[in-house]
Amino acid sequence: MTGFSADADGDDVPRVSAGIEVGTTSIDWMLVSPLGAILDKGSQETDQQNPRHQIKQLAHDLLQRNPGIDGFGVVVPGIVDEKRGVAIYAANIEMRNAHIAADIKNLTGIPTLLGHDGRAAGLAEKYMGAGKGANSFLMIPIGVGISMAACVDGNLLSGDTFSAGEIGHSPIYPTGDLCRCGQYGCLEVYASTDGMARRYSFLKGHELGAHEIQDRLGVDNIADEVWNTAVRALALGLVHLIMALDPSRIIVGGELASAGPLLLDPLHENLASLLQWRDPPEIVRAHLGSSATGWGTAILASMAASHTSHERWQA
């Protein structure tokens, strides 16, 4: 591989940050220079029965081909203890109490940081995207599910049980519709893309996806009801977080963020109506889109090597 760059932190040594993003169906990797240029990237199908071995093997192979790697960043879904580098549990792949960071460090000798996929996306938005310049922000990806990365005083929160950000299962309407998690009235039931599609199907009698619902606003009363209920549910969920954490910015990402002002404007209006004695924080669309988690892995790799060049990367 060619394209190594001199170390942006001042060391006259070629180096590479290697990021590995573990998903349910694929494991994606990228190699990034100190200047933030993508030098190489690739993907392979996830071995759902033995992803731990696959991650170790991938790290080994990447280092063999790219001896300039001086930091690995790995992100996984599920419950993650970032401080210890342990993937505690992932529902859709066979991973329990997996010491991923230590696995790679012991195998390769390269310092490694492990992160949670949602919080890694928030990390990327912090340094490279819509979170730049904000000391505290909430990043809310809205797609099939709804999660949150909370940055408070410059730090991303993981929580006592490493489950911070699971706001999709906050009961917004406790006597509302049943959620697949077993609770009633969860935020995801009303405001996720799947939840909106199910509610439209229930009320109208035929299926329509979230984007199609968006396209029918103003001409379909059921689409209007489903959309407005979703926006109100989001506002009700966010208002408690605003009061508790006082963020300066709310970043909306994920599939539903493509709606732009159709979502962000009424969401701001709903928040303003709920916050009578203070202004709501600004609400913006995420900048990095689906690439945020991947960039988060590279940032973790840079941090693992105790570098700061990622603070100057540009999307």
Side-chain angles (χ1 to χ4, degrees), residues 231-304:
V231 171
R232 187 63 175 179
L234 282 169
L236 288 169
L238 286 173
V239 71
H240 298 288
L241 296 168
I242 292 168
M243 298 301 290
L245 300 175
D246 193 26
S248 60
R249 191 173 301 162
I250 293 174
I251 302 167
V252 179
E255 184 180 350
L256 209 61
S258 62
L262 281 176
L263 173 65
L264 303 188
D265 289 351
L267 180 56
H268 189 274
E269 291 169 4
N270 270 264
L271 284 173
S273 72
L274 292 167
L275 296 166
Q276 291 295 315
W277 56 271
R278 58 157 290 173
D279 293 330
E282 66 173 330
I283 305 176
V284 300
R285 183 177 170 182
H287 290 178
L288 299 177
S290 61
S291 69
T293 304
W295 278 110
T297 66
I299 292 170
L300 285 172
S302 177
M303 294 170 68

Side-chain angles (χ1 to χ4, degrees), residues 4-209:
F4 288 113
S5 302
D7 192 320
D9 292 331
D11 300 328
D12 190 20
V13 178
R15 68 175 182 84
V16 178
S17 296
I20 299 173
E21 177 184 354
V22 181
T24 302
T25 58
S26 69
I27 297 181
D28 303 322
W29 56 268
M30 63 192 298
L31 305 179
V32 179
S33 79
L35 299 179
I38 298 176
L39 303 172
D40 200 2
K41 60 182 179 179
S43 182
Q44 56 186 246
E45 185 178 349
T46 303
D47 179 354
Q48 296 184 352
Q49 299 308 309
N50 196 4
R52 185 175 181 179
H53 173 75
Q54 183 181 13
I55 295 164
K56 289 193 293 183
Q57 186 63 51
L58 175 58
H60 175 269
D61 294 346
L62 289 174
L63 183 60
Q64 290 298 302
R65 299 198 302 267
N66 306 277
I69 291 173
D70 66 353
F72 280 104
V74 183
V75 304
V76 297
I79 301 173
V80 181
D81 180 346
E82 286 107 332
K83 288 185 178 179
R84 295 194 300 133
V86 179
I88 296 174
Y89 174 71
N92 297 316
I93 54 178
E94 192 59 41
M95 194 179 296
R96 292 174 182 267
N97 296 316
H99 292 249
I100 301 298
D103 284 350
I104 294 176
K105 176 67 166 61
N106 293 338
L107 179 66
T108 66
I110 303 299
T112 302
L113 286 178
L114 179 71
H116 176 268
D117 53 1
R119 291 191 285 274
L123 185 69
E125 289 288 348
K126 172 186 174 181
Y127 285 113
M128 302 175 63
K132 289 183 71 171
N135 190 45
S136 297
F137 65 82
L138 306 178
M139 180 187 170
I140 318 290
I142 306 172
V144 173
I146 301 175
S147 61
M148 177 190 70
C151 180
V152 178
D153 294 332
N155 299 308
L156 284 157
L157 304 182
S158 58
D160 184 60
T161 62
F162 318 109
S163 300
E166 295 295 338
I167 64 169
H169 296 291
S170 300
I172 301 300
Y173 301 114
T175 59
D177 298 338
L178 179 65
C179 179
R180 287 178 292 185
C181 75
Q183 298 178 158
Y184 287 88
C186 289
L187 180 59
E188 284 186 7
V189 171
Y190 299 94
S192 70
T193 55
D194 274 15
M196 293 171 67
R198 285 194 297 271
R199 293 197 72 244
Y200 185 92
S201 176
F202 175 77
L203 294 171
K204 190 78 169 182
H206 64 85
E207 294 186 3
L208 210 62

